[in-house]
Amino acid sequence: MTFKIGVVGLGYRIGYLMQVIGQTQKDIEFVGYVDPNPAGLGLVNGEGVPGISVDPSALKTFNPGKPFDSLEELLEKNDLDLLMVGSPNHMHLEHLRIAIKAGVKTFAEKPVVTTEAQTFELLELLQEAGNVDQVMIGLVLRYAPLYRDLIAARDSGKLGNIASIEASEHIAPYHGAFFMRDWRRNSEFSGGFMLEKCCHDLDLYQGLVGKRPKRVASFGGRRSFVPENKPDELADVYQYKPSGWNGSDKVFDSDGDIIDYQTALVEYQDGENLCFHTNMNVPDEFRRFAVIGSKGMAEGDFIRNFFKLTAAENSETLVDKSYEASNLSAHYGADEQMIEDIFNHLRNGAKLPVSILDGLEAGLTAIKLDEARLSGSVVDLTETWAKFDSYKLAKEEVA
């Protein structure tokens, strides 16, 4: 069987995933795409893109299929086995609405939607369709070998009862400058930096704890990419990663409203807590965590590629390992595993480690964190989850 794949929103991310699919999956065909300005087309054509952490020599050339003027036309003229949604975040809901009503199996990039109201609209659509499993979510770090080792440490009992987590996502100045120049700089399009970039991390730790947030608080703003820090001559690093749709060349005097640093405090339903920090101007970037439990401690870093597990009773090192990614990998080895698992799911019905409902929960957490930051208050999520659960949608049993 040849899997026919269509795309709406052929940006850099989906263009890269098309490379991974083309190189790892047999019997697939990209039949067409919808995008008036397909920034990721070069990646499908085997061209390297600055700021995409892939060895250009690892890229191959694939046929992306025909361009179509609308998603409706793409679906009408093709019997798709998979639709990939990589459009700007604020367009996701409309594209998902069309796909769900057409009954097409769909992969949506994160974040799924950009507001609380859109979250509930999508839940209603999924409820009407009666098939939560129709939509998959690109929370790729759930597939990372490092995260799977962290979950194994939890499941083995070596962590004991988790008490607290310290975690961060720090990105380099070239990437921060990209956010200030790209469409993501405007919250109306992206949903804000915490949602756009850090929903990955919020999902990871909610998945680890296995519980939703009860209360959240947050603080942050913009202190790096501001006019008073603008140099007389802009270094190449600030223009290194090209922007796509609605792009700009302004970095320190950007017209965007996103912030460039934020601290989030999360209390989960049984008292476990997370302290999370993000900053988009970190020269020596890292993405690390320390999970403290009653029986042990787990440390890791997705960028520096290590994992360490230490017993509490005697400080014995139980696990100490590092990871190597392929020259095709953009997420520490997780992208290839995600694509492998998704196609195993499509072909054989295998369970996935993350669901669309997980993505919506992580997204709501990010949205409420920004609500807390803007209001200067602690936000209680009890009523939010009660409304979420009123749609009576059950998560699929995950792998």
Side-chain angles (χ1 to χ4, degrees), residues 89-137:
N89 302 344
H90 71 294
M91 299 179 183
H92 284 187
L93 180 62
E94 183 57 26
H95 292 153
L96 287 170
R97 179 183 288 111
I98 294 167
I100 289 169
K101 290 185 179 297
V104 178
K105 189 77 170 182
T106 302
F107 169 88
E109 256 306 325
K110 61 79 194 169
V112 193
V113 291
T114 58
T115 68
E116 185 172 355
Q118 287 186 353
T119 301
F120 295 125
E121 284 186 59
L122 182 53
L123 288 171
E124 185 173 349
L125 287 168
L126 293 169
Q127 183 187 56
E128 290 172 356
N131 182 12
V132 172
D133 201 32
Q134 184 182 339
V135 182
M136 300 172 288
I137 174 69

Side-chain angles (χ1 to χ4, degrees), residues 308-382:
K308 184 178 181 182
L309 181 63
T310 308
E313 62 182 2
N314 55 15
S315 297
E316 178 185 356
T317 299
L318 304 176
V319 178
D320 191 356
K321 65 186 296 188
S322 58
Y323 306 83
E324 290 187 11
S326 74
N327 59 357
L328 181 61
S329 179
H331 279 101
Y332 337 116
D335 291 291
E336 296 96 321
Q337 187 61 58
M338 180 179 75
I339 293 303
E340 186 66 33
D341 285 7
I342 283 174
F343 276 84
N344 191 22
H345 168 74
L346 293 172
R347 291 186 171 109
N348 306 310
K351 301 298 183 184
L352 295 173
V354 63
S355 75
I356 188 68
L357 297 182
D358 292 313
L360 290 173
E361 289 176 353
L364 264 179
T365 302
I367 290 165
K368 288 298 185 181
L369 281 164
D370 272 336
E371 180 182 318
R373 176 179 62 83
L374 292 168
S375 66
S377 62
V378 175
V379 173
D380 189 293
L381 277 71
T382 303

Side-chain angles (χ1 to χ4, degrees), residues 259-301:
I259 62 177
D260 61 22
Y261 75 100
Q262 190 168 356
T263 300
L265 300 174
V266 178
E267 181 186 36
Y268 297 102
Q269 289 171 336
D270 288 330
E272 308 93 338
N273 63 64
L274 164 70
C275 179
F276 178 77
H277 177 241
T278 184
N279 189 301
M280 64 166 71
N281 190 40
V282 181
D284 190 7
E285 63 183 354
F286 54 91
R287 195 175 197 170
R288 62 192 180 201
F289 60 80
V291 179
I292 316 299
S294 59
K295 295 184 178 180
M297 170 184 179
E299 302 169 82
D301 191 314

Side-chain angles (χ1 to χ4, degrees), residues 38-350:
L41 196 57
L43 279 164
V44 188
N45 292 332
E47 302 165 11
V49 175
I52 306 293
S53 52
V54 177
D55 184 345
S57 68
L59 299 176
K60 299 181 180 180
T61 301
F62 296 98
N63 182 356
K66 295 171 52 180
F68 289 87
D69 292 331
S70 69
L71 178 55
E72 290 89 344
E73 182 187 13
L74 171 64
L75 295 176
E76 179 184 345
K77 294 185 177 180
N78 296 279
D79 185 14
L80 295 183
D81 296 296
L82 176 65
L83 173 69
M84 302 184 73
V85 176
S87 47
N89 302 344
H90 71 294
M91 299 179 183
H92 284 187
L93 180 62
E94 183 57 26
H95 292 153
L96 287 170
R97 179 183 288 111
I98 294 167
I100 289 169
K101 290 185 179 297
V104 178
K105 189 77 170 182
T106 302
F107 169 88
E109 256 306 325
K110 61 79 194 169
V112 193
V113 291
T114 58
T115 68
E116 185 172 355
Q118 287 186 353
T119 301
F120 295 125
E121 284 186 59
L122 182 53
L123 288 171
E124 185 173 349
L125 287 168
L126 293 169
Q127 183 187 56
E128 290 172 356
N131 182 12
V132 172
D133 201 32
Q134 184 182 339
V135 182
M136 300 172 288
I137 174 69
L139 287 168
V140 64
L141 293 185
R142 286 269 196 145
Y143 299 84
L146 168 55
Y147 185 67
R148 292 188 168 186
D149 283 341
L150 175 60
I151 294 298
R154 178 201 67 186
D155 292 346
S156 70
K158 292 182 174 64
L159 288 174
N161 295 322
I162 295 173
S164 59
I165 304 168
E166 180 184 88
S168 61
E169 179 181 12
H170 293 161
I171 68 174
Y174 85 88
H175 204 169
F178 163 78
F179 274 97
M180 290 299 164
R181 294 184 291 103
D182 191 59
W183 58 263
R184 294 166 174 84
R185 70 187 184 275
N186 293 308
S187 295
E188 65 176 304
F189 301 141
S190 64
F193 184 71
M194 180 64 71
L195 177 67
E196 156 62 25
K197 193 71 176 74
C198 304
C199 63
H200 276 306
D201 304 84
L202 296 174
D203 171 65
L204 291 181
Y205 305 117
Q206 287 177 204
L208 174 68
V209 175
K211 297 162 191 172
R212 295 161 165 172
K214 179 181 178 181
R215 297 185 298 172
V216 299
S218 186
F219 314 92
R222 194 191 297 187
R223 296 180 65 85
S224 293
F225 294 104
V226 292
E228 54 263 37
N229 292 337
K230 183 180 179 181
D232 293 335
E233 291 189 20
L234 209 60
D236 291 343
V237 66
Y238 297 117
Q239 301 287 343
Y240 176 66
K241 184 174 183 178
S243 58
W245 170 73
N246 198 37
S248 167
D249 61 356
K250 295 182 180 296
V251 179
F252 294 89
D253 49 353
S254 165
D255 62 355
D257 64 347
I258 63 168
I259 62 177
D260 61 22
Y261 75 100
Q262 190 168 356
T263 300
L265 300 174
V266 178
E267 181 186 36
Y268 297 102
Q269 289 171 336
D270 288 330
E272 308 93 338
N273 63 64
L274 164 70
C275 179
F276 178 77
H277 177 241
T278 184
N279 189 301
M280 64 166 71
N281 190 40
V282 181
D284 190 7
E285 63 183 354
F286 54 91
R287 195 175 197 170
R288 62 192 180 201
F289 60 80
V291 179
I292 316 299
S294 59
K295 295 184 178 180
M297 170 184 179
E299 302 169 82
D301 191 314
F302 288 94
I303 292 177
R304 299 176 185 184
N305 285 327
F306 75 86
F307 178 68
K308 184 178 181 182
L309 181 63
T310 308
E313 62 182 2
N314 55 15
S315 297
E316 178 185 356
T317 299
L318 304 176
V319 178
D320 191 356
K321 65 186 296 188
S322 58
Y323 306 83
E324 290 187 11
S326 74
N327 59 357
L328 181 61
S329 179
H331 279 101
Y332 337 116
D335 291 291
E336 296 96 321
Q337 187 61 58
M338 180 179 75
I339 293 303
E340 186 66 33
D341 285 7
I342 283 174
F343 276 84
N344 191 22
H345 168 74
L346 293 172
R347 291 186 171 109
N348 306 310

